[in-house]
Amino acid sequence: LHFGAMPMPILTMAEGRPVTKKWTHVRTGSRDFGSPSLDTTVKIEQVAPRVAGIRGIQKPDELAIALENGSVENESGLSKEKESLTVTETASVTVVDITGLQAESVPASPEQERSLACALVIFMLLSLLQALALSGAVVGGLLSVDWVQFGEGIAFLIAVEVTRRSATAYLRSLFLRNAVHLSAEQVLDIEGPRLNLPHDWLRGLLAKPRTNCRLKLCDVLFRKGGHVFTLTFTLFFNGWLVTDSGALVLSLSYGSLVLICAQAASIWFFRAESYRSLWRLLYLLFGATDRVRDGRFGQRNAMAGSISMMWGVLFAYIIALASLPSSEDEEGLWNLVTQLVMLPLTYGDALGEIVGTPFGRHKFKVRGLGEINEKSLEGCAAVFLGALVPCFIAVATSSQPVLPITWALPVALSVLTTLTETFSFRSTDNFVIPVCNAAFVAVWWRCVGGIMQDSSD
């Protein structure tokens, strides 16, 4: 049997000679099979717990059964001594279910090792550069920081993120086992570094429509759920605990640096197959942000998303500092602008995946880091609405009265967010959306003559 997207040849016995027939509806990654093209009924009596060592088996995901003379007792059964494998066939169709088997480890080539090393070094350098740039701004007097709030922010941020990531990662594991019906080995394939998995691993995992649908739901619930929680928490974090903007940006930057370095070290030093069981703990570092449907690039995609978000927040803050009045003088303006810049990223970007991934029908290809890079028109519409409604609420609940023309600003930002989210390289939209929104608000404030009704704006 050969599992994959191509038809699967099945070796049967008819009139004493082997005959090859086609199976056009191949299923892997769940507990059952689809209907064969033959007018037959297939029954699986027992799943082979181990396939290694059975003669004729090359790989777990490309399973072949070699029949020797005398090894077939009758046309309706197959007996292998010393192996716990029993297959019952009906109408001369031999089927073996390999669900739950660990994907075969494929050693990384030197080119793949170099590519991984370069990616991890770049990620760490980008995080370090951001932290050093902010530190230089503080030393140079360009950025003022309340150090008490900075210390409180770092401690609180680490505590919340450790709790959130651990809980999210654990809940995703439960979902994969109990809702998607993956085996413990398959879940560990997802939670591990995925570097040594076969190139067709993801295709085989998503071959069954029901499994594919539930994995989409898994990514939406746990990856985008964490995205919404983190950004919503950041907005409340700014208004409740750390009110000093400099302390907020600096604490987020150093927190991101620590996280990226820990993730990069875990991937590089524990990427070998011998450390496979250790990833039952290391996967907590990623907190289910490594999308399952990104395949072997899931963890690198998650790291790129985190870094792009931090750079996006930094550049948006720099644009606001350069173009708006001081936050001490215009606190109401800064509160509203912060919400208008970040809310489209928080809810618009998230709603696009929540709607587009399971319900998108009109799909189109995009560029990105992952094995599946596509978006849908339904997702784009959800991005627009997810940005528009929160921005309207922010304007309506502003602590200070706004100019009548300001009511058009949420519409303009929603259109801009939809365009930037759609056409930016995947995993960079966390950078592009806040930067473009901040630049647009700054231009609006200059050209229109203000946002708030206060004449000084």
Side-chain angles (χ1 to χ4, degrees):
L1 306 182
H2 297 280
F3 287 77
M6 301 297 294
M8 179 175 67
I10 296 181
L11 190 64
T12 64
M13 301 298 295
E15 299 178 356
R17 69 179 189 276
V19 179
T20 299
K21 296 183 180 180
K22 299 287 187 180
W23 181 298
T24 59
H25 206 52
V26 182
R27 300 301 183 206
T28 60
S30 68
R31 293 177 178 170
D32 58 352
F33 287 86
S35 302
S37 59
L38 307 175
D39 186 18
T40 60
T41 301
V42 178
K43 177 183 177 184
I44 300 173
E45 226 180 282
Q46 179 180 347
V47 177
R50 290 176 41 223
V51 297
I54 302 179
R55 182 170 181 177
I57 293 177
Q58 305 299 322
K59 311 179 188 177
D61 62 335
E62 294 180 359
L63 183 60
I65 298 179
L67 300 179
E68 300 178 9
N69 293 333
S71 64
V72 177
E73 294 180 351
N74 54 63
E75 291 187 9
S76 64
L78 172 66
S79 174
K80 288 280 186 178
E81 293 183 2
K82 300 181 181 179
E83 301 292 342
S84 56
L85 173 65
T86 303
V87 176
T88 297
E89 63 175 20
T90 303
S92 300
V93 179
T94 303
V95 175
V96 177
D97 186 358
I98 62 168
T99 296
L101 296 175
Q102 173 187 342
E104 181 193 20
S105 176
V106 179
S109 65
E111 292 78 10
Q112 291 174 324
E113 292 280 349
R114 285 194 295 268
S115 175
L116 174 63
C118 289
L120 297 180
V121 169
I122 290 173
F123 289 157
M124 290 189 291
L125 287 178
L126 286 173
S127 296
L128 180 61
L129 179 61
Q130 182 195 59
L132 291 178
L134 285 172
S135 300
V138 173
V139 173
L142 301 176
L143 181 65
S144 60
V145 175
D146 185 327
W147 292 106
V148 174
Q149 290 195 15
F150 170 75
E152 293 174 348
I154 281 287
F156 196 72
L157 186 66
I158 292 176
V160 170
E161 273 298 288
V162 167
T163 303
R164 197 272 301 176
R165 287 176 178 269
S166 299
T168 307
Y170 178 71
L171 289 174
R172 186 180 73 169
S173 295
L174 291 180
F175 185 89
L176 291 172
R177 292 293 304 276
N178 299 317
V180 188
H181 301 304
L182 299 184
S183 68
E185 291 299 327
Q186 288 175 312
V187 173
L188 194 54
D189 285 339
I190 292 173
E191 294 171 347
R194 308 185 194 173
L195 303 175
N196 298 325
L197 295 176
H199 289 275
D200 58 350
W201 166 77
L202 183 63
R203 184 179 63 181
L205 189 65
L206 302 180
K208 183 175 177 59
R210 184 174 63 181
T211 302
N212 186 14
C213 181
R214 292 181 181 182
L215 286 177
K216 288 181 180 179
L217 180 61
C218 176
D219 284 339
V220 166
L221 287 176
F222 300 104
R223 186 180 186 276
K224 280 303 176 182
H227 171 95
V228 171
F229 174 86
T230 298
L231 290 176
T232 303
F233 169 76
T234 301
L235 291 173
F236 282 102
F237 185 58
N238 184 28
W240 171 53
L241 182 64
V242 181
T243 56
D244 180 68
S245 299
L248 173 67
V249 174
L250 194 62
S251 61
L252 290 175
S253 178
Y254 274 94
S256 176
L257 174 62
V258 171
L259 176 63
I260 292 297
C261 290
Q263 290 175 337
S266 64
I267 291 176
W268 182 254
F269 293 110
F270 303 106
R271 67 190 186 279
E273 185 69 17
S274 57
Y275 295 108
R276 178 178 172 83
S277 60
L278 188 60
W279 278 92
R280 298 184 188 277
L281 292 177
L282 293 177
Y283 84 102
L284 298 177
L285 285 171
F286 293 88
T289 58
D290 49 337
R291 188 189 285 112
V292 177
R293 297 176 74 251
D294 279 338
R296 295 175 299 114
F297 302 100
Q299 292 176 338
R300 277 172 279 184
N301 196 357
M303 295 173 68
S306 297
I307 294 170
S308 66
M309 182 184 297
M310 288 310 307
W311 275 101
V313 171
L314 175 60
F315 271 81
Y317 181 64
I318 292 174
I319 292 171
L321 282 177
S323 57
L324 299 179
S326 171
S327 59
E328 297 179 357
D329 299 330
E330 301 293 345
E331 183 178 352
L333 173 64
W334 272 78
N335 288 338
L336 179 58
V337 168
T338 300
Q339 294 179 63
L340 292 176
V341 169
M342 297 303 297
L343 285 175
L345 175 63
T346 305
Y347 298 105
D349 181 40
L351 194 61
E353 183 166 341
I354 291 172
V355 173
T357 298
F359 304 113
R361 295 295 179 267
H362 303 85
K363 297 183 180 294
F364 54 92
K365 296 292 183 180
V366 296
R367 296 174 301 163
L369 180 63
E371 294 192 37
I372 299 178
N373 296 306
E374 59 184 17
K375 295 184 179 181
S376 67
L377 296 180
E378 292 83 356
C380 294
V383 171
F384 177 80
L385 292 176
L388 183 65
V389 174
C391 285
F392 266 134
I393 294 175
V395 172
T397 58
S398 174
S399 59
Q400 296 181 18
V402 299
L403 295 173
I405 191 63
T406 302
W407 288 96
L409 187 54
V411 179
L413 287 173
S414 299
V415 173
L416 179 61
T417 299
T418 303
L419 293 175
T420 52
E421 197 278 337
T422 301
F423 296 107
S424 60
F425 194 85
R426 281 187 68 234
S427 295
T428 65
D429 54 352
N430 291 340
F431 170 80
V432 176
I433 291 175
V435 170
C436 290
N437 286 354
F440 186 87
V441 170
V443 172
W444 179 285
W445 187 82
R446 291 289 183 182
C447 296
V448 174
I451 293 176
M452 319 302 289
Q453 283 189 6
D454 190 329
S455 59
S456 62
D457 291 344

